[in-house]
Amino acid sequence: MATAIKIEDLWVRYREEEDYAVKGLSLEIGEGEFVLLMGPSGCGKTTLCLTIMGIIPRVIKAEVKGSVRVFDLDPLNASPTEIAKYVTIVFQNPEMQLVTTSVYEEVAFPLENFGLPRDEIKRRVKEVLEVVGLSGLEDRSPASLSGGQKQALAIASVLALRPKIIILDEPTSQLDPQGTKRVTDLILKLRKEFETTILAVEHRIEWAVEYVDRILVMSGGKIVLEGDPKTVFSKEIKPEEAGFRPPQVSEIAYKLVRSGVALPTIPISLNEALNIFRGILDERAASS
Ligand SMILES: Nc1ncnc2c1ncn2[C@@H]1O[C@H](COP(=O)(O)OP(=O)(O)OP(=O)(O)O)[C@@H](O)[C@H]1O
Ligand SMILES: [Mg+2]
């Protein structure tokens, strides 16, 4: 597996701030990996994402120490066009990203900037609008779309560039459950169909826990816990400390363990929980 992102001893301090927002963070993400970045508000998740994109320090001024590699590129010193070939970001608030007057243009515009031939642009726009479920809305103004559709459009315009890496900074936090489902289904589809490397900042874990390769938990500018979901949730996670809730079934399991029930493992999905609980019930039935 090739390395998609490699960060060594990264320190980031915003201008006029005394404290560093990212403090000696090291991280490696392999090509094709799906990684969730979690942690309490203010722990440095967005700062990390913006630094991987080179937006810090190019646009947002900050002191940056340490090294960042995105494939063979150094985003801290590369041009935005170069960086965009490898990695793109979808922000929490899609309005920030929508800049044109029609759904078609929104997707076509960055491709025109890349100098792609017109036929290829048409083909890609059609393809990604289908993927995100916006076919037929080509002439609509982005402003007239629903929140979920706007988010889908922001993702489509990023997807059309066929980046090797997509960073999603809380892509569903503005959305209702239906919009959230559309966007999360879309992310899972990306992963499956395009084998895109995905780094997603998320507070909600349920939709991703069965698909994600690795969870990184940040606190105070550092990674404090890391591993596959099974490992991360094997020890009790307290939402008030971690800044996110573990899967509900894991929370139930923590409670059972605290009240003296021996569980073979902490489940992270409903199916897993059902199997464990069934096992316990069968054992009890057999021994009575
Ligand atoms: N433009 C900025 N100028 C100065 N300080 C900033 C700036 N942006 C963020 N910070 C500070 O840097 C720290 C990390 O912020 P960051 O936005 O990276 O956190 P986060 O983990 O993304 O939080 P959230 O979950 O609320 O989005 C915080 O203390 C924040 O106040
Ligand atoms: Mg943030």
Side-chain angles (χ1 to χ4, degrees), residues 6 35 42 44 46-47 50 58 61-62 78 81 84 114 125 136 147 155 158 166 172 190 198 227 237 256 271 278:
K6 185 164 185 174
V35 176
T46 297
T47 306
L50 294 176
R58 196 177 353 97
K61 299 297 170 204
T81 322
F114 266 145
V125 175
I155 294 176
V158 157
I166 293 186
T172 66
L190 281 187
I198 299 175
I237 297 248
L256 285 172
N271 276 335
R278 230 179 248 135

Side-chain angles (χ1 to χ4, degrees), residues 170-185:
E170 303 200 47
T172 66
S173 58
Q174 309 269 328
L175 304 178
D176 63 12
Q178 206 184 3
T180 300
K181 174 130 184 28
R182 280 183 74 107
V183 172
T184 53
D185 283 352

Side-chain angles (χ1 to χ4, degrees), residues 76-271:
L76 303 179
N77 292 301
S79 76
T81 322
E82 269 181 302
I83 295 168
K85 284 182 193 150
Y86 289 93
V87 53
T88 55
I89 188 163
V90 176
F91 293 103
Q92 186 168 357
N93 182 349
E95 264 98 12
M96 272 175 70
Q97 228 154 337
L98 305 176
V99 292
T100 66
T101 53
S102 78
V103 167
Y104 184 91
E105 266 310 305
E106 195 59 45
V107 182
F109 179 63
L111 302 177
E112 285 159 9
N113 275 351
F114 266 145
L116 288 183
R118 192 144 283 280
D119 283 354
E120 173 69 10
I121 293 179
K122 270 195 180 153
R123 221 177 47 72
R124 285 209 199 174
V125 175
K126 186 169 183 296
E127 181 192 351
V128 294
L129 289 181
E130 263 168 30
V131 170
V132 304
L134 293 178
S135 294
L137 301 180
E138 287 78 0
D139 297 329
R140 284 271 294 274
S141 127
S144 74
L145 300 177
S146 73
Q149 288 173 324
K150 279 181 189 154
Q151 195 60 274
L153 180 57
I155 294 176
S157 64
V158 157
L159 200 56
L161 295 166
R162 306 235 176 103
K164 288 169 162 299
I165 305 169
I166 293 186
I167 298 179
L168 299 134
D169 192 357
E170 303 200 47
T172 66
S173 58
Q174 309 269 328
L175 304 178
D176 63 12
Q178 206 184 3
T180 300
K181 174 130 184 28
R182 280 183 74 107
V183 172
T184 53
D185 283 352
L186 179 57
I187 295 168
L188 296 176
K189 194 163 163 184
L190 281 187
R191 158 133 179 84
K192 216 164 127 210
E193 283 181 23
F194 300 86
E195 289 173 8
T196 315
T197 307
I198 299 175
L199 174 62
V201 177
E202 253 305 347
H203 283 111
R204 284 173 284 189
I205 177 85
E206 246 85 13
W207 65 272
V209 74
E210 286 179 80
Y211 307 95
V212 70
D213 296 307
R214 196 144 50 105
I215 297 176
L216 306 173
V217 181
M218 277 183 79
S219 177
K222 295 186 194 133
I223 292 171
V224 292
L225 181 62
E226 152 174 29
D228 60 52
K230 214 41 206 156
T231 309
V232 164
F233 295 115
S234 64
K235 283 215 189 83
E236 180 160 1
I237 297 248
K238 299 201 168 82
E240 61 279 14
E241 284 164 22
F244 62 91
R245 294 201 86 88
Q248 256 183 347
V249 288
S250 309
E251 291 196 307
I252 294 171
Y254 300 147
K255 265 197 176 162
L256 285 172
V257 169
R258 264 191 269 124
S259 68
V261 179
L263 294 181
T265 160
I266 299 291
I268 56 171
S269 73
L270 198 52
N271 276 335

